[in-house]
Amino acid sequence: MTTVAGPRAGIEVRCLNVGRTYSVDGEDVHALTDVSIRIAGGESVSLFGPSGSGKSTLTALLAGLRRPSSGQIWVGEEELSGMSERELLRLRGREIGIVLQNPSRTLLPYGTAEDNIAFARRSTRRSERGRLEDSHTLLRQLDLTELAGQRVASLSGGEQQRLSIAVAMSRGPGLLLADEPTSQLDSANRDRAVQVFGRIATEFGTTIVTVTHDPVVADATHRRITLSEGRVVDDGLSWHAGRR
C-alpha cells in the first residue's frame, strides 16, 4: 500500500509597514495604516476586531487578491508586490487556501463532496497530485466522513461550510485564509467549524489566518491580532505567551 504525503508544512507570513488606501467620492479612505506583523509557519492566528477595522482588507492582501498601497508582504519566500497577476494566481493555487463567509460561492451545488474536492484540484500539476490525499482520506482526516457521497444541495449550511474548508485544503496549501467563516452559522455549527480548523492546525501544521469578530472563534486560535480603524492595536504576542 502506498502512503501519500499530506499538505505542505505551514509557511511564514510577514507584513512590513503595509498600508491600503482607496478613494471614495474623491476622498482617500485609509483601510490599513502601517501594519507590521509576523505569523510563524504552523501558527493559527485570528484577525479580531469590529466591522470596518481592516481585517478582510488585510486578508485580501495576504491572498494577493488586492495590492498594498505601501509596504511589503511575504508569503513564505515570496514578496507579493513584485509579482505579476499570473504569478499571484500560481501562488494561490500552490500555497494558499481560501474559505469565504458564504460557502455557496465556492461549492458546486449538484456535485458531491468528492466532486467538489476533485474540481478544486483540476488545475493541480500531475507532479503535485502524488503528495495529496485522496478525497476520502482528506474527509476522514478532517472528521467529515459523514459528508462523503452527499450532494452539496442536500447539505445544511453548517455542513456546506465545513465542506468548503475541506475543499480549501484539497490542494494541500501551506497557508489557509478564512474570512468570517462562522458568521452565518449558529453556535453549534460554529463550534463544529472551529473543530475542523483545529484539526487542520494539529494534523497538518498549516498556517491559519481567520478573520472574525467572534471571541469564541478567536480564543480557539493560538494568537489574536486585534485591529481597529486599520491599525494593529495588539499583536497578541503577550496574550499568546500567557497561554503557553
Side-chain angles (χ1 to χ4, degrees):
M1 178 177 176
T2 302
T3 301
V4 295
R8 295 177 177 85
I11 55 179
E12 182 183 70
V13 175
R14 290 179 291 150
C15 298
L16 179 61
N17 305 129
V18 169
R20 170 70 178 180
T21 301
Y22 56 91
S23 180
V24 177
D25 297 328
E27 298 290 330
D28 285 344
V29 176
H30 301 289
L32 293 172
T33 303
D34 199 28
V35 170
S36 294
I37 56 174
R38 176 183 176 274
I39 301 170
E43 191 174 14
S44 173
V45 166
S46 55
L47 300 180
F48 184 74
S51 297
S53 59
K55 306 183 303 296
S56 294
T57 298
L58 180 54
T59 304
L61 296 180
L62 296 179
L65 296 171
R66 298 179 187 172
R67 294 183 183 269
S69 304
S70 59
Q72 295 176 305
I73 299 173
W74 285 268
V75 173
E77 299 298 318
E78 304 287 352
E79 202 285 296
L80 304 192
S81 65
M83 300 178 71
S84 67
E85 292 300 325
R86 181 184 294 272
E87 289 170 332
L88 288 169
L89 181 62
R90 187 179 302 119
L91 178 69
R92 284 193 293 273
R94 187 179 71 246
E95 292 285 9
I96 302 174
I98 300 174
V99 180
L100 301 178
Q101 188 178 70
N102 187 345
S104 66
R105 293 176 59 188
T106 56
L107 297 177
L108 303 171
Y110 296 106
T112 64
E114 294 88 341
D115 292 336
N116 276 269
I117 291 171
F119 185 76
R121 289 175 171 171
R122 67 195 185 283
S123 61
T124 304
R125 293 179 180 178
R126 185 173 299 177
S127 59
E128 289 279 290
R129 293 177 186 174
R131 68 178 178 82
L132 299 175
E133 295 86 352
D134 61 57
S135 58
H136 294 285
T137 301
L138 179 62
L139 292 171
R140 176 177 54 77
Q141 288 180 313
L142 297 179
D143 199 24
L144 297 175
T145 52
E146 76 277 8
L147 303 184
Q150 296 198 50
R151 295 190 181 279
V152 168
S154 70
L155 300 177
S156 70
E159 289 170 332
Q160 288 185 15
Q161 188 61 299
R162 280 179 279 151
L163 175 59
S164 76
I165 299 170
V167 170
M169 287 296 296
S170 64
R171 290 184 289 189
L175 172 63
L176 182 64
L177 302 173
D179 191 359
E180 296 282 8
T182 64
S183 64
Q184 297 185 15
L185 306 180
D186 60 27
S187 59
N189 279 305
R190 173 202 64 196
D191 292 347
R192 293 188 186 102
V194 166
Q195 289 172 1
V196 178
F197 285 113
R199 289 186 70 88
I200 291 169
T202 56
E203 295 289 330
F204 300 139
T206 305
T207 306
I208 304 173
V209 179
T210 304
V211 170
T212 187
H213 59 265
D214 186 338
V216 173
V217 177
D219 283 346
T221 64
H222 298 151
R223 177 159 63 108
R224 180 192 302 189
I225 298 174
T226 304
L227 286 84
S228 177
E229 297 181 347
R231 295 179 181 271
V232 173
V233 295
D234 187 348
D235 65 9
L237 290 173
S238 59
W239 179 79
H240 172 54
R243 285 166 58 99
R244 289 181 178 177

